[in-house]
């Protein structure tokens, strides 16, 4: 017969290893979500840039507003999720385009 003395180190080690694996999985899933959000933001930025470049190629001038790209070139994105700033200086200069993901309301 085997006697158990006090604390069971083997069981504690298994619990600690399982907790480490669980914590690693949670961190990994969180990082994947952040990468996907950054990729989606870049996708919206690229869509605005491509629409502006297409307008320049077709008409010889960059559009003066984001609304023009929506109306004439079919630019579409989730306006509730992304804030897009489109700053045009002149019709022959590429505009400044800024895209940020909006924060959720608490």
């Amino acid at each position: 017969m085997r006697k158990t003395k006090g604390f069971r180190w083997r069981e504690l080690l298994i619990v600690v290893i399982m907790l480490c694996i669980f914590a690693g999985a949670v961190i990994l899933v969180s990082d994947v979500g952040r990468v996907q959000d950054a990729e989606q933001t870049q996708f919206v930025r690229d869509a605005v840039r491509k629409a502006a470049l297409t307008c320049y190629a077709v008409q010889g001038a960059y559009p003066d507003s984001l609304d023009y790209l929506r109306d004439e070139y079919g630019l579409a994105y989730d306006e509730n999720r992304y804030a897009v700033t489109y700053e045009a200086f002149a019709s022959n200069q590429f505009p400044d385009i800024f895209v940020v993901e909006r924060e959720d309301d608490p």
Side-chain angles (χ1 to χ4, degrees):
M1 244 164 88
R2 187 173 163 196
K3 290 185 179 181
T4 57
K5 292 185 179 180
F7 204 67
R8 296 182 176 173
W9 291 104
R10 192 178 333 175
E11 286 81 9
L12 177 64
L13 181 62
I14 291 172
V15 169
V16 168
I17 290 172
M18 295 300 284
L19 287 174
C20 288
I21 290 172
F22 178 74
V26 168
I27 291 170
L28 181 64
V29 168
S30 173
D31 286 344
V32 168
R34 273 184 264 160
V35 168
Q36 286 178 340
D37 290 344
E39 287 176 351
Q40 289 295 322
T41 302
Q42 183 64 40
F43 179 77
V44 172
R45 185 178 299 110
D46 289 345
V48 175
R49 290 176 53 86
K50 287 177 185 177
L53 287 169
T54 300
C55 180
Y56 186 79
V58 171
Q59 298 180 358
Y62 291 106
D64 59 351
S65 72
L66 197 58
D67 290 332
Y68 188 82
L69 291 175
R70 284 189 200 111
D71 296 340
E72 300 298 322
Y73 289 90
L75 176 65
Y77 59 90
D78 186 352
E79 294 180 35
N80 294 323
R81 185 171 179 189
Y82 299 100
V84 178
T85 303
Y86 181 92
E87 298 176 0
F89 300 108
S91 63
N92 64 343
Q93 291 184 343
F94 192 80
D96 287 335
I97 300 167
F98 302 99
V99 178
V100 294
E101 187 171 6
R102 297 179 192 268
E103 293 186 21
D104 296 332
D105 291 331

